[in-house]
Amino acid sequence: MPTPLILLLYLFALIAGFCGAEPTVHSVKYMVDSQDYADAINLKIATNTLEESNLLLMQQLGTRYQHEYASLARIQYFMDQGQAVCVPNKLKTSERASKYIFSYPVNLYLSHLLYQLATNQALAPEVLTEEGELKSLNSLFTDFPSKTILLPFKRSFGPMLDKQIALLPDVNKLIYQGGDLHESEIEMFIKQRGDFLLTYPATIFANKKSFGDIAIRGYAIANNPKYTVSRIMCADSPATRTHIEQINQALHVLYAQPELLDIHLKWAPPTTHEQIKIYYQQVTQEFRQTLQ
């Protein structure tokens, strides 16, 4: 029978073995085209809804996934090769759904508004509806044919806006890429590199310090959905299909708890909280029923 000393030495060796073991290599890799986002997730320092909600999701999964920064083209290459790659904060469009697989919604945003600096000429009544919404992006450049709108490279704004953007003349589109897209667009907008900015109210609120005393005005766009949801998007592989199932189970738990909604409210303008609560309940109730 082993002596107590031998048992103690064995226990120490066992603990040392665990401590010295190589970290688990996940079969699924997360890649993002924002270094700031990768740093926030890897260092667990959230500065917006997207980062904090995804940190909460990782916590619920019980597994920490390192996020690797890469260019959008490189990420798409790996995904199109069928590698087990996932990308957070993606809108589910019909084109993407034909190639990739998606989780249930992780983030909900009040839909994009069209912003301009308040020092610029306001939109004419002719391009607005009776409710004060912009009739369409095309009508905008009928009124301002020499103006430009800032647009990130290959970002989807949802089916309706994507169709309108595709019809805009190239001369009116200022396409940019690289770096943190939300920070880049705010900086370019403030410096008047482009005349109009299409973004979420939450993005404007998160960057309110950057604006300082600069006043802006925003217009809703007619017939655009009142909110949009983003998800985890993965290349289709056995590993990612299993991972998506795990994510959906984790979200089912989070939907029933207050933390995820609280995160959405924390990073949104107080004037939008009631709207967010209503839409959040609609979305989460739909997917909670799916898993029952």
Side-chain angles (χ1 to χ4, degrees):
M1 180 175 179
T3 66
L5 178 59
I6 292 175
L7 289 173
L8 188 60
L9 291 173
Y10 174 78
L11 180 60
F12 282 153
L14 188 63
I15 293 172
F18 278 123
C19 293
E22 290 295 320
T24 302
V25 177
H26 300 300
S27 57
V28 172
K29 176 185 290 188
Y30 274 77
M31 302 183 76
V32 294
D33 63 339
S34 166
Q35 184 66 64
D36 288 343
Y37 177 82
D39 291 343
I41 296 298
N42 295 335
L43 298 174
K44 297 185 178 180
I45 303 174
T47 61
N48 55 46
T49 305
L50 168 62
E51 294 165 358
E52 190 165 3
S53 59
N54 278 279
L55 282 171
L56 178 65
L57 175 58
M58 295 297 158
Q59 179 181 323
Q60 183 62 38
L61 285 169
T63 307
R64 184 179 177 185
Y65 290 85
Q66 286 291 112
H67 284 54
E68 177 184 330
Y69 169 73
S71 68
L72 191 60
R74 184 173 174 82
I75 294 171
Q76 187 168 336
Y77 171 79
F78 285 130
M79 295 189 72
D80 290 345
Q81 292 296 310
Q83 296 193 28
V85 171
C86 292
V87 185
N89 199 38
K90 291 296 181 181
L91 303 189
K92 185 178 181 180
T93 65
S94 56
E95 180 183 0
R96 288 174 175 174
S98 68
K99 297 191 294 183
Y100 310 124
I101 57 176
F102 288 82
S103 72
Y104 291 159
V106 181
N107 297 101
L108 180 146
Y109 305 100
L110 295 185
S111 285
H112 303 86
L113 298 182
L114 182 81
Y115 290 95
Q116 64 173 173
L117 299 183
T119 52
N120 292 340
Q121 180 184 343
L123 302 189
E126 291 76 19
V127 300
L128 302 177
T129 66
E130 292 182 359
E131 292 75 27
E133 297 180 336
L134 177 66
K135 292 179 180 178
S136 71
L137 292 177
N138 299 86
S139 65
L140 172 68
F141 293 106
T142 300
D143 198 35
F144 294 109
S146 62
K147 301 291 186 180
T148 56
I149 182 171
L150 291 162
L151 294 170
F153 180 67
K154 287 193 174 181
R155 184 196 297 171
S156 173
F157 290 87
M160 194 206 79
L161 290 180
D162 285 349
K163 289 179 182 178
Q164 291 192 17
I165 290 169
L167 296 174
L168 293 178
D170 289 341
V171 69
N172 297 124
K173 294 186 285 190
L174 198 160
I175 309 295
Y176 63 93
Q177 61 180 314
D180 184 276
L181 292 183
H182 288 303
E183 287 189 4
S184 297
E185 68 186 9
I186 295 297
E187 182 179 353
M188 294 174 72
F189 180 57
I190 291 173
K191 292 181 178 179
Q192 301 188 60
R193 301 282 178 81
D195 302 289
F196 298 101
L197 175 64
L198 192 60
T199 195
Y200 297 114
T203 299
I204 297 295
F205 183 73
N207 290 275
K208 59 184 178 180
K209 290 184 179 179
S210 299
F211 286 96
D213 296 329
I214 300 173
I216 60 175
R217 65 172 70 94
Y219 298 89
I221 300 171
N223 302 314
N224 196 31
K226 299 302 181 185
Y227 65 88
T228 186
V229 296
S230 68
R231 310 162 187 253
I232 307 291
M233 180 178 79
C234 301
D236 191 358
S237 73
T240 54
R241 284 195 291 272
T242 298
H243 185 54
I244 288 292
E245 290 177 4
Q246 294 168 341
I247 290 173
N248 289 343
Q249 291 293 337
L251 286 170
H252 186 248
V253 174
L254 292 176
Y255 288 164
Q257 298 175 352
E259 287 83 0
L260 188 57
L261 174 58
D262 289 345
I263 288 171
H264 281 77
L265 299 178
K266 173 182 176 181
W267 299 101
T271 54
T272 65
H273 285 189
E274 290 307 312
Q275 289 175 286
I276 291 173
K277 288 178 184 178
I278 292 170
Y279 298 144
Y280 180 89
Q281 292 301 329
Q282 291 175 359
V283 170
T284 57
Q285 183 62 28
E286 174 188 350
F287 287 95
R288 285 171 66 183
Q289 291 174 347
T290 302
L291 285 173
Q292 288 177 353

